[in-house]
Amino acid sequence: MNTDCSNEFSMVYDMLLEHNGTNPILIDQDTLRDHNGEVIVHPCHWEGCTMHIAVDHKQVSKHLQQYHAINTSATSEDTQQISCLWPGCSDARMKPGNLTRHILSHLGVRRICSMCGSSLSRDDAFRRHTQEKPNCQQAKAVVKHGDKSLVIDKVGIEGGWSASQNVMCIH
């Protein structure tokens, strides 16, 4: 990061911190580009990360690749397994290609069956549920997000930050 960008980042960060009394929500600027209107974000707690990530498969995968250097497409048998570095996670080691959907479970994303109320953590589990349960074949998934998820209004972010939402975009 060059000195001008670093100084501007620090200035905006400090201004938001003083204005809102809490650390700003840091999100990747590409997150806003990839969403219309509002985006739901959640804090990333991977090994001390201070950013927020959009609560969808594509954005979680992108975040793991860009900010944590994890190849989330690696699923072959010879791929070295890694441990989840989310605080309190006791899951065994997994292939990096399975990490994105695992992280979504930490973010509290659930699919609630509109017919029976079953709560499932993944799209594939919801699809299987609707195929196996005769009364749920016409069901829709009602997506519920975790308690720490926040809605960010893309329209309110001017110049890469918003004082009212306490949001700052990272380049």
Side-chain angles (χ1 to χ4, degrees), residues 46-65:
W46 185 270
E47 199 174 45
C49 184
T50 58
M51 294 189 66
H52 279 64
I53 49 180
V55 184
D56 68 53
H57 194 276
K58 177 183 172 187
Q59 291 296 327
V60 170
S61 178
K62 192 173 184 179
H63 177 82
L64 290 169
Q65 290 174 8

Side-chain angles (χ1 to χ4, degrees), residues 39-96:
V39 59
I40 298 171
V41 298
H42 191 284
C44 176
H45 296 296
W46 185 270
E47 199 174 45
C49 184
T50 58
M51 294 189 66
H52 279 64
I53 49 180
V55 184
D56 68 53
H57 194 276
K58 177 183 172 187
Q59 291 296 327
V60 170
S61 178
K62 192 173 184 179
H63 177 82
L64 290 169
Q65 290 174 8
Q66 287 182 322
Y67 295 96
H68 303 293
I70 297 169
N71 178 4
T72 58
S73 62
T75 58
S76 69
E77 287 301 318
D78 58 341
T79 300
Q80 185 175 355
Q81 294 193 343
I82 62 171
S83 296
C84 176
L85 298 180
W86 205 271
C89 183
S90 59
D91 276 9
R93 297 170 61 81
M94 66 195 83
K95 293 178 185 175

